[in-house]
Amino acid sequence: DIQMTQSPSSLSASVGDRVTITCRASQGIRNDLGWYQQKPGKAPKRLIYAASSLQSGVPSRFSGSGSGTEFTLTISSLQPEDFATYYCLQHNSYPHTFGQGTKLEIK
Amino acid sequence: QVQLQESGPGLVKPSQTLSLTCTVSGGSISSGSYYWSWIRQPAGKGLEWIGRIYTSGSTNYNPSLKSRVTISVDTSKNQFSLKLSSVTAADTAVYYCATYDLWGRGTLVTVSS
């Protein structure tokens, strides 16, 4: 199985901050990676697909980058509605695997 | 706009089979090249990929669950289904059906006698 190591596991930040979350794959996955946001009691929502493509309707303050084994999700200026848990998902090989999540909290 | 909705029993007894259905509305399950997936999340924990089925009927399962999982599709009903046998308390979770860009709301399944 491909292991997705996500860091940090939690993060405290303030509105307006720039935040970066990282996922490292245990082997190369090309750009077969998505980023998801999950709020309590809700289903995950995809923000980024193919590592760097912004999902339709998602604010442009979200961006993704990377290829191979290292990927980042950046939020350029945190908004109150961005406080949530974020996951990466690799779909390069089976079984598809998620990172363990990053909980983004208000400082 | 395509929407997904999970349905099924919220309580399953240990050793029995968990059965869930995902109904696809707003589009045909047979159109396009979609993979229809099941993902679960125990309370307070992360997401676990269970498996998926292609529109052709081919399947891929998580090896950790493979011996107990069956995913099938019923194009006449525009539904796909999950069966997980020999359940234990460890299978208690919110179960989601998804296409990765679209997700159902999730349904909580509790395994308890």
Side-chain angles (χ1 to χ4, degrees):
Chain A
D1 298 7
I2 295 177
Q3 307 302 316
M4 301 301 296
T5 303
Q6 194 171 333
S7 61
S9 56
S10 63
L11 177 59
S12 294
S14 301
V15 172
D17 283 354
R18 180 183 181 90
V19 166
T20 297
I21 298 169
T22 298
C23 260
R24 288 188 174 86
S26 58
Q27 61 191 74
I29 59 169
R30 301 183 306 183
N31 69 336
D32 297 329
L33 181 119
W35 287 99
Y36 292 81
Q37 176 193 68
Q38 187 179 33
K39 296 183 178 179
K42 300 294 187 182
K45 171 188 173 183
R46 192 166 71 175
L47 305 173
I48 300 289
Y49 65 96
S52 59
S53 296
L54 190 67
Q55 185 75 29
S56 175
V58 173
S60 59
R61 62 180 180 273
F62 292 93
S63 63
S65 65
S67 183
T69 61
E70 188 153 338
F71 303 86
T72 59
L73 172 70
T74 299
I75 309 172
S76 60
S77 178
L78 275 172
Q79 298 302 299
E81 61 268 29
D82 299 338
F83 292 94
T85 301
Y86 293 84
Y87 294 94
C88 61
L89 166 65
Q90 72 80 19
H91 56 91
N92 176 264
S93 63
Y94 296 113
H96 295 177
T97 45
F98 290 89
Q100 75 272 27
T102 295
K103 187 172 184 179
L104 180 52
E105 298 175 308
I106 301 173
K107 184 182 288 184
Chain B
Q1 181 180 354
V2 176
Q3 293 184 322
L4 308 179
Q5 178 66 59
E6 305 88 351
S7 60
L11 181 64
V12 181
K13 288 181 167 48
S15 80
Q16 294 191 342
T17 296
L18 177 161
S19 296
L20 296 174
T21 297
C22 183
T23 300
V24 179
S25 59
S28 171
I29 200 169
S30 301
S31 64
S33 298
Y34 282 114
Y35 287 93
W36 306 95
S37 301
W38 287 97
I39 292 155
R40 69 180 183 180
Q41 185 173 38
K45 297 188 177 181
L47 298 158
E48 180 181 27
W49 185 81
I50 298 171
R52 69 180 189 179
I53 188 165
Y54 191 52
T55 49
S56 66
S58 65
T59 53
N60 299 95
Y61 299 132
N62 193 323
S64 68
L65 300 169
K66 187 174 183 177
S67 63
R68 300 193 290 132
V69 172
T70 303
I71 298 175
S72 59
V73 63
D74 186 337
T75 55
S76 67
K77 295 182 179 179
N78 230 31
Q79 296 175 334
F80 64 106
S81 299
L82 169 71
K83 291 188 185 299
L84 181 65
S85 63
S86 305
V87 297
T88 70
D91 295 310
T92 294
V94 174
Y95 285 75
Y96 295 101
C97 59
T99 63
Y100 289 0
D101 61 333
L102 296 172
W103 292 61
R105 291 184 175 182
T107 188
L108 173 63
V109 179
T110 301
V111 179
S112 176
S113 55

